[in-house]
Every structure is written in C-alpha cells, then in structure tokens.
Amino acid sequence: MSTPRNPRQEVQALQDTIYVVGGKWRLPIINSLCNGNKRFRDIERSIPGITTRMLSRELKEMEANQLIKRTVTPDTPVLVEYTPTDYCHSFGSIILEMIRWGKAHSEHLKKAAD
C-alpha cells in the first residue's frame, strides 16, 4: 500500500522549491553554469537582459542556498569562479524537463494559433 499524500506537506515542498530556484534569473544562471560558464562576465554575457547588480545578488543568494560554490584564486588579477554544486546538479534533470516542456508549450501555442 502506498503512503497517503499530505497536501499541506506537498504545498510546503513546492513553496520551498520555488523560493530556492524561483524568479526570473535563477534557472537561467543554473543553466549557464551547467553549460560551462564559470566567470562572472561569461555568465552575464550568456543571459540576455540580466544586469550586473542582479547577477551579483542572485549569485550570493544561490551560494547561501548551497547551489553554487564561489572560488577565489588570489592571482594577479584575482580570479573568481562559480561552479554548480552536486546539490545543484541534483536539480539538472528537472531543468532539462522544464526546457523540454517549454519547447513543447511553444509548439502547442503555435499550432493552436494556426
């Protein structure tokens, strides 16, 4: 017999997830990092429309939520790199499914408009 569902717990889990990865910029940042961008400017260039201030704020929040790791190499000039954590990678299959769904949704809307 399966465990009965707890709607209150499910809503809380969804709210927690949305809090950590929600918003306009977090998923594009995760996608950029997972596509190999590690330096601030590379991440910024890969996401159309994001401002320097917003990217900085989001990266700090994502580091606090253990989605990314910030590494500072004290060379001259100082090198700062951001990498997704294993915890972040655990969300990868969900992001890929969201991308697939988004593409299918666009096609659905195009067909409905015809």
Side-chain angles (χ1 to χ4, degrees), residues 31-108:
N31 191 55
S32 177
L33 289 166
C34 290
N35 283 327
N37 294 307
K38 295 178 189 272
R39 303 196 63 196
F40 187 92
R41 293 288 177 221
D42 294 334
I43 298 165
E44 185 178 33
R45 284 186 203 108
S46 73
I47 304 171
I50 195 166
T51 64
T52 301
R53 183 173 180 224
M54 182 57 69
L55 178 57
S56 179
R57 183 185 310 165
E58 292 292 337
L59 288 170
K60 285 177 187 171
E61 185 70 28
M62 292 169 71
E63 185 179 17
N65 280 296
Q66 301 177 356
L67 293 174
I68 63 171
K69 182 180 180 200
R70 180 178 186 265
T71 306
V72 180
T73 306
D75 291 337
T76 304
V78 173
L79 176 65
V80 178
E81 290 188 335
Y82 299 90
T83 53
T85 61
D86 289 341
Y87 185 53
C88 182
H89 282 293
S90 72
F91 198 70
S93 61
I94 297 168
I95 291 173
L96 290 175
E97 191 57 37
M98 290 174 75
I99 291 169
R100 278 189 216 104
W101 188 89
K103 288 177 180 179
H105 179 66
S106 292
E107 288 299 315
H108 175 78

